[in-house]
Amino acid sequence: MNPSAFVPEDGEVVLVVDDNESLRESLSEVLKSAGIRSVDAGSAHDALRLQAIHLPTVAVVDYRLPDGSGIELAHTIKERNPDTSVIILTGFATLDTAVDAVGQFDAYLIKPVAPQMFIRTVVNALAHRRLVAENGRLVERLEQVNAYQALHDPLTGLPNRALLDDRLRQALAGCQRTGLSVAVLFIDLDEFKVVNDLFGHQVGDHLLRNMAKRLADSCRQSDSVARFGGDEFIVVCPVKVSADACRIAAHLLETLAEPTTIEGVEHHITGSIGIAVTGSGAPQQSAETLLRDADTAMYRAKEAGRARWELFDNAMRARVMDRFEIERGLRNALEDGGLANAYQPLVDIQSGSLVGAEALVRWDRAGHGTLLPGSFLDVAEDSGLIVPIGTWVLDKALSDLAQWKAEGTVAERFRLWVNISPYQITVPQFPGLVRDLLDAHGVEPESLGLEILEQALVDMGASVKVLWELREMGVSLNLDDFGAGHSNLSWLRELPITGIKIDRQFVAGLGVQGNDRGPAIVSGLIKLCEALGLVVIGEGVETEAQANALSSMGCQLAQGYYFGYPERGFPIPRLRHTDRVETRTPST
Ligand code: C2E
Ligand code: MG
Ligand code: MG
């Protein structure tokens, strides 16, 4: 660096150490003329004392000192403050011996020192120190930024999950001292996905930032507001009683519900809040349980119609425990044989003869008797256990069928129907599994039918491929409970299904007097399916009148208590009623 362009800074001091007083003075003079502050010492002892007082940026140290070696002093100076640059002064006579040691320091000067050379070396050392210091500051800043980013959400600037976790634990520890409770508010924006889909992610992001700011502005400094996930936020606050948390939630809901205008469009977003408070029920809740409970309560708020709060209470806890116990029980049942298949006959209405059966899973739950699927299937679906359970049912059904075939109990055209859950058909390997099980039991695909809930086809996407593979294999596919959900007629045209089962609620209205439109729908559906080459099964037939009505409309197959209950073991129709059901000429 050019010394004339150098501007000294406050706090920059040069320490000059030499036993030659006149040299010290002249060097100090040179520094002074360049505006650089200096202090000088004639011995190592004095030098260290001055270092402690003035914290010099640069030390100029003579190689030889009366009370010791200059090199030793230079080392001590560096030890005490590694940020000090050291310049060694040495004479020609000592150069050879000094040169190794000198190499460890920032610079060296050979006596006699020309003033220009001296000032240039000192200025370079000072400039170098400044660069090092600036670099250090930048690194420190960068580390701060990295630390911040690791703990904050980049979109909203709110603490992220990791920091929330830490804050929640701190709050729990703090409340043990203060005797207050900790409330966790789990906030989920309602229908936020729709905004993203309709207006794009930029608008979605804008809204999220807006909502985050409103939440942060509505809470106290001592509360923590974090972004938990996509459109989920968490507020952690100390409260005296649960009612305080509910009041806070109500206030937050009002704040969120205020309209936001983005690019001239007014958006109305609401939130649903689940609240969990320590001490309300189980003592000593952990951060995880509080978050989980608040999440459960949030789902209740959604179920109850959104834009509201729900407080996690003992009834919810009991429900969670129930579901937990069901899940655990089902896992055990899968291992220790607690599951069973009941088979309900499927008959030809005309002849009353058995044409097939439907496998319906049962759970013999210790202490609870036999449970019907309605009381455990939703837990099985939520926990993913439905997949192994579905495989168990299919395996057992095929094994029973193989046995009946071997015993000669079933006719050639007998087909066994097994219900499958939407999860099963989203697994691409499912057709392979079906093929393996058929092979393992020596059953031909034509003897197997699968029932898929009509509901399951909503949002199915890729699994249509799975249906085609099954169909190509020769397995029959029926849409179950048709008419009960989002009945979509285009499915009848596009999907590789072989038939439908008309939902019970339509069958229930048959054979009774009244002006209900149900019978017209059933009759129309039967004609439609006939035209499409699809088989129709009437399910839930409980009375002779219903059986007759179905039959007169042209429905050939039926299932229901009237024909036989689901029973363990081979399905035997309750009655053969060829002589009782009106005879009609089959249309085909
Ligand atoms: P689903 O497939 O529609 O089966 C018919 C249900 O109606 C059975 O109930 C059956 O017992 C009952 N039912 C049969 N005839 C009559 C009748 O005349 N009147 C009345 N009121 N009900 C009748 P279940 O066994 O409780 O099964 C309920 C549902 O659980 C089944 O409805 C099916 O969707 C599902 N499910 C059963 N087993 C399995 C399985 O192994 N896997 C899967 N994913 N779902 C299954
Ligand atoms: Mg079924
Ligand atoms: Mg059904």
Side-chain angles (χ1 to χ4, degrees):
M1 176 170 207
N2 182 357
S4 57
F6 182 78
V7 182
E9 280 179 3
D10 279 355
E12 281 176 346
V13 178
V14 176
L15 169 66
V16 179
V17 192
D18 201 304
D19 55 339
N20 181 335
E21 194 178 346
S22 66
L23 178 64
R24 276 201 323 266
E25 276 172 10
S26 62
L27 291 181
S28 299
E29 216 33 62
V30 173
L31 290 170
K32 195 174 169 194
S33 64
I36 298 169
R37 210 153 73 77
S38 70
V39 288
D40 58 280
S43 66
H45 178 265
D46 281 355
L48 291 175
R49 190 174 51 79
L50 289 179
Q51 185 196 15
I53 299 168
H54 298 282
L55 301 174
T57 324
V58 174
V60 182
V61 180
D62 186 15
Y63 184 73
R64 281 178 195 280
L65 290 172
D67 54 348
S69 129
I71 296 300
E72 264 171 42
L73 171 66
H75 277 300
T76 315
I77 287 174
K78 277 276 191 199
E79 264 163 38
R80 294 191 180 178
N81 182 6
D83 291 341
T84 311
S85 292
V86 176
I87 301 168
I88 303 289
L89 280 178
T90 178
F92 262 123
T94 52
L95 188 59
D96 281 349
T97 46
V99 86
D100 280 349
V102 159
Q104 303 161 28
F105 299 100
D106 301 273
Y108 67 91
L109 287 168
I110 299 163
K111 293 189 205 172
V113 190
Q116 276 307 319
M117 189 63 184
F118 175 66
I119 201 73
R120 183 180 290 274
T121 311
V122 170
V123 162
N124 277 344
L126 286 172
H128 178 69
R129 267 302 129 208
R130 281 186 200 172
L131 271 178
V132 170
E134 178 61 15
N135 202 18
R137 279 194 292 274
L138 279 175
V139 169
E140 200 176 308
R141 176 88 192 100
L142 206 65
E143 278 167 0
Q144 280 170 357
V145 169
N146 283 345
Y148 182 87
Q149 281 178 348
L151 295 174
H152 290 81
D153 164 48
L155 180 71
T156 61
L158 290 180
N160 62 12
R161 258 178 200 230
L163 186 53
L164 167 77
D165 202 54
D166 193 54
R167 296 258 178 98
L168 182 51
R169 281 170 213 281
Q170 276 180 24
L172 285 170
C175 284
Q176 271 184 349
R177 286 193 307 274
T178 57
L180 290 171
S181 295
V182 176
V184 171
L185 280 67
F186 199 119
I187 302 151
D188 188 289
L189 302 181
D190 299 324
E191 310 280 5
F192 180 72
K193 192 178 171 302
V194 179
V195 176
N196 258 343
D197 291 349
L198 281 181
F199 298 94
H201 284 266
Q202 274 194 336
V203 172
D205 284 356
H206 192 135
L207 261 175
L208 281 176
R209 272 195 299 266
N210 202 304
M211 295 295 152
K213 184 166 182 330
R214 286 187 201 181
L215 290 175
D217 290 348
S218 309
C219 291
R220 288 168 303 184
Q221 278 278 296
S222 53
D223 303 343
S224 291
V225 184
R227 181 164 178 217
F228 200 62
D231 60 348
E232 295 169 341
F233 299 91
I234 301 277
V235 172
V236 175
C237 48
V239 290
K240 280 206 189 87
V241 286
S242 303
D244 293 344
C246 300
R247 265 191 293 277
I248 295 172
H251 173 62
L252 293 181
L253 286 178
E254 273 177 29
T255 317
L256 292 177
E258 276 168 29
T260 316
T261 307
I262 304 172
E263 293 165 7
V265 181
E266 201 173 84
H267 297 271
H268 294 262
I269 285 279
T270 56
S272 298
I273 305 185
I275 309 165
V277 183
T278 50
S280 58
Q284 300 295 324
Q285 279 121 316
S286 65
E288 293 79 28
T289 38
L290 269 177
L291 282 169
R292 194 198 57 208
D293 292 351
D295 187 27
T296 305
M298 189 276 291
Y299 271 99
R300 283 304 292 269
K302 293 261 184 207
E303 280 166 12
R306 304 191 174 102
R308 69 190 62 220
W309 55 263
E310 286 283 343
L311 177 65
F312 186 82
D313 57 13
N314 285 333
M316 277 190 223
R317 175 167 291 113
R319 227 181 77 165
V320 169
M321 287 311 289
D322 268 2
R323 291 177 75 85
F324 179 72
E325 286 300 326
I326 289 176
E327 188 182 325
R328 197 164 60 173
L330 279 176
R331 270 182 216 286
N332 291 340
L334 267 168
E335 276 168 21
D336 59 24
L339 297 179
N341 276 352
Y343 297 101
Q344 186 177 30
L346 191 80
V347 300
D348 179 318
I349 307 183
Q350 295 298 318
S351 63
S353 61
L354 186 70
V355 296
E358 177 178 9
L360 295 158
V361 67
R362 302 290 180 255
W363 175 21
D364 296 321
R365 187 179 179 197
H368 293 79
T370 296
L371 298 191
L372 295 178
S375 59
F376 60 85
L377 273 190
D378 57 340
V379 176
E381 302 255 357
D382 288 351
S383 60
L385 281 173
I386 191 66
V387 175
I389 290 176
T391 306
W392 183 90
V393 171
L394 183 60
D395 183 46
K396 174 73 174 132
L398 290 174
S399 137
D400 288 343
L401 178 59
Q403 191 186 333
W404 300 332
K405 281 183 179 254
E407 291 165 354
T409 332
V410 289
E412 194 58 35
R413 64 174 187 152
F414 182 93
R415 185 172 288 141
L416 193 56
W417 293 89
V418 174
N419 293 284
I420 54 170
S421 117
Y423 286 92
Q424 287 170 281
I425 42 175
T426 53
V427 180
Q429 292 82 5
F430 183 63
L433 174 83
V434 174
R435 157 74 65 199
D436 291 349
L437 289 175
L438 285 167
D439 289 348
H441 294 288
V443 173
E444 58 286 4
E446 289 69 26
S447 299
L448 176 67
L450 297 176
E451 296 190 5
I452 302 144
L453 275 185
E454 187 203 352
Q455 196 78 29
L457 296 175
V458 182
D459 279 347
M460 207 173 58
S463 43
V464 172
K465 186 167 167 282
V466 167
L467 296 185
W468 276 105
E469 283 179 48
L470 290 164
R471 204 47 220 112
E472 276 157 17
M473 211 187 287
V475 172
S476 296
L477 296 174
N478 274 356
L479 278 188
D480 208 351
D481 300 354
F482 193 82
H486 305 70
S487 304
N488 183 339
L489 291 181
S490 66
W491 288 332
L492 299 185
R493 195 185 57 193
E494 289 158 15
L495 291 179
I497 51 166
T498 44
I500 62 163
K501 290 181 92 171
I502 298 179
D503 190 63
R504 261 213 306 277
Q505 57 171 300
F506 289 103
V507 174
L510 299 181
V512 287
Q513 295 299 316
N515 53 5
D516 182 39
R517 291 173 181 161
I521 294 175
V522 176
S523 159
L525 260 181
I526 293 170
K527 287 202 183 71
L528 179 66
C529 287
E530 196 172 27
L532 293 170
L534 297 172
V535 177
V536 180
I537 300 164
E539 64 174 331
V541 179
E542 293 181 349
T543 66
E544 186 174 355
Q546 290 165 354
N548 286 341
L550 278 172
S551 176
S552 66
M553 288 172 183
C555 177
Q556 296 191 356
L557 302 174
Q559 188 186 350
Y561 297 161
Y562 178 65
F563 296 107
Y565 294 104
E567 307 269 11
R568 310 226 179 153
F570 183 73
I572 304 169
R574 227 157 52 89
L575 23 94
R576 293 181 68 85
H577 45 89
T578 331
D579 42 8
R580 202 190 17 70
V581 174
E582 268 174 36
T583 341
R584 73 179 253 292
T585 321
S587 51
T588 51

